[in-house]
Amino acid sequence: MPDAYILGIESSCDETAAAVVRSGEQIVSNVVFSQIATHQPYGGVVPELASREHLRAIVPVVRKALADAGHTFQSIDALAVTQGPGLAGALLVGISYAKALAFGLDKPLIAVNHLEGHIHAVLLEERQKGNHALKFPVLALVVSGGHTHLYLVRREDRSWSYQNIGHTRDDAAGEAFDKVAKLLALGYPGGPMIDKLSTHGDPKAVSFPAAQLKHRDRNERGSRQELDQPRFDFSYSGIKTAVLRYVETHDLKSSIAARQKATQAIARPAAADYLAHTDHRTLDLVASFQRAIVEDVVGKTLAAARACNAASLFVTGGVAANNELRQRFEKDAAMEGLRVYFPSRPLSTDNAAMIAAAAYPRFVAQDFAPMDFSAEAGLALS
Ligand code: KG4
Ligand code: ZN
């Protein structure tokens, strides 16, 4: 099979991204335009603004990805674009542009599931390092702003299959980081700031009750037999409420208001700016919150890995950039003799290299998208 250069396009949330990847194993270029500055004043992603920013950025981002790779529109072999899950309006920008390019250039177009992309971020980097001997089955945790999902990943010849064995019943782990940071006036997105500030607090200072999942998931579909298989679900809305209750009972509101005022006056506040306006009780709260999330994510994922006899573990998605999460996974997985793989930090958060890599097996199988496919905000991975 000769080399294939795939141009990937990603616009599912608040990053406009394009990349060129060779044969699913080498990043030739990788351009990410983040909209953080646009959404920061609102403490979260505003869908209409996200679509508008994607419209502005998509053409220059794609052109830069091609130029960085030394390619032209004509010299690439195929295009790949994120179909979902994500924000419908944001997805449509990438999809419409990719369709128009594919039609105009007469090149094949491949539709990719964003979650599959996050899993292929790990596979791409391992191949790039020359590691072609991964052990299967793989248990993959996709932990991001929209997802805390566990998949058993199997490779069948050149294609991949994914079985969902757990997901969040309410907030995703990254969503909890973002909401707690918003509540404490620690900026947006919250994960990176909480990650940095946690090292200044005592993670044992505040104890949070573990999430209890007593009821079967009401949204669960499937046969009786499927339902009886053990699931490893997550829940993070309780801990967010517990942080709110702590703020109310410990009179932290005035210090939050003071921090809000002080950091609003700074154009792009850094961790040192937040640190200068954060008292030790809040730092302890932040460190304890992060510890509670990390322990829950790691504990449940390793229980799932044992139950499924996983041979390797992938941890991917934006929250996989978290330092404490990485350290805890490395330590606890090693104690069980399980090898854990993370993407590098730039490939943990949203990017288009992972989309181009996930598209490669479909390119080989000539599994191309029909021109009438559309965005699917709730697209499942199976
Ligand atoms: O994968 P991603 O870029 O977008 C989604 O698909 O959601 O993930 C973004 C999420 C945000 O919730 C952000 O706060 C979180 O990842 N995140 C982190 C860190 N870096 C990003 N959470 C904890 N620690 C980090 N260092
Ligand atoms: Zn993502």
Side-chain angles (χ1 to χ4, degrees):
M1 183 81 198
D3 279 341
Y5 290 87
I6 299 183
L7 169 66
I9 297 176
E10 153 67 37
S11 69
S12 66
C13 192
D14 59 346
E15 261 102 22
T16 317
V20 176
V21 174
R22 181 180 57 76
S23 305
E25 63 178 31
Q26 197 208 345
I27 301 174
V28 192
S29 68
N30 187 23
V31 179
V32 180
F33 171 75
S34 169
Q35 304 177 358
I36 284 177
T38 303
H39 301 290
Q40 211 152 26
Y42 306 94
V45 178
V46 183
E48 290 79 3
L49 294 184
S51 307
R52 191 191 69 189
E53 291 301 298
H54 284 307
L55 274 172
R56 281 191 178 154
I58 192 114
V59 173
V61 163
V62 168
R63 287 207 172 130
K64 179 157 172 40
L66 287 171
D68 287 358
H71 270 269
T72 62
F73 283 121
Q74 281 72 29
S75 67
I76 51 154
D77 296 291
L79 292 109
V81 67
T82 306
Q83 183 180 15
L87 301 168
L91 288 162
L92 275 172
V93 176
I95 291 173
S96 311
Y97 186 53
K99 274 188 190 177
L101 279 179
F103 182 74
L105 298 166
D106 198 19
K107 305 261 181 197
L109 175 61
I110 299 148
V112 175
N113 184 306
H114 181 82
L115 300 170
E116 185 176 18
H118 275 301
I119 293 170
H120 279 261
V122 183
L123 292 162
L124 163 63
E125 289 198 307
E126 287 308 310
R127 283 190 214 111
Q128 197 159 259
K129 286 180 215 156
N131 177 10
H132 295 273
L134 281 168
K135 291 197 185 127
F136 287 86
V138 166
L139 180 69
L141 168 70
V142 183
V143 61
S144 69
H147 301 90
T148 309
H149 278 38
L150 281 170
Y151 294 97
L152 253 189
V153 183
R154 294 186 182 87
R155 190 188 166 146
E156 284 140 22
D157 200 13
R158 275 188 167 268
S159 70
W160 300 84
S161 72
Y162 310 91
Q163 181 189 358
N164 179 252
I165 60 158
H167 59 218
T168 179
R169 299 277 185 94
D170 39 55
D171 292 353
E175 196 178 349
F177 271 98
D178 295 339
K179 286 179 175 168
V180 163
K182 186 175 182 183
L183 169 72
L184 298 176
L186 293 173
Y188 174 82
M193 201 52 68
I194 290 181
D195 190 355
K196 290 192 185 103
L197 294 185
S198 286
T199 56
H200 299 274
D202 174 5
K204 297 199 190 88
V206 185
S207 61
F208 293 104
Q212 299 289 326
L213 294 171
K214 292 190 187 120
H215 305 290
R216 198 182 280 296
D217 186 353
R218 269 179 280 135
N219 298 321
E220 200 59 59
R221 276 174 288 170
S223 67
R224 187 73 235 156
Q225 195 191 357
E226 276 174 45
L227 289 178
D228 284 341
Q229 280 175 358
R231 289 195 60 90
F232 300 91
D233 285 351
F234 304 88
S235 165
Y236 296 114
S237 77
I239 188 168
K240 174 193 69 190
T241 313
V243 172
L244 175 63
R245 219 172 296 123
Y246 188 94
V247 164
E248 285 166 350
T249 53
H250 291 75
D251 277 339
L252 294 181
K253 284 201 168 151
S254 55
S255 87
I256 292 173
R259 178 164 50 254
Q260 182 96 46
K261 198 161 169 242
T263 50
Q264 248 167 12
I266 305 167
R268 289 207 77 174
D273 300 312
Y274 285 107
L275 192 57
H277 298 282
T278 305
D279 56 283
H280 78 90
R281 248 190 333 185
T282 305
L283 290 171
D284 287 350
L285 175 63
V286 163
S288 303
F289 161 78
Q290 178 172 286
R291 173 66 55 88
I293 297 261
V294 165
E295 282 186 346
D296 189 84
V297 171
V298 175
K300 285 199 179 121
T301 304
L302 291 180
R306 282 192 292 274
C308 302
N309 274 323
S312 318
L313 181 61
F314 287 8
V315 181
T316 182
V319 183
N322 184 272
N323 286 296
E324 188 175 350
L325 188 85
R326 283 184 179 231
Q327 283 157 14
R328 182 58 75 99
F329 260 123
E330 299 232 324
K331 184 166 151 275
D332 291 7
M335 286 196 308
E336 308 207 6
L338 189 64
R339 180 80 198 270
V340 54
Y341 299 88
F342 303 94
S344 63
R345 281 179 176 75
L347 251 60
S348 295
T349 47
D350 289 349
N351 65 86
M354 67 185 197
I355 302 302
Y360 180 67
R362 302 246 178 85
F363 175 81
V364 174
Q366 303 214 344
D367 178 6
F368 303 135
M371 268 300 170
D372 61 353
F373 88 99
S374 194
E376 274 199 47
L379 187 64
L381 178 60
S382 57

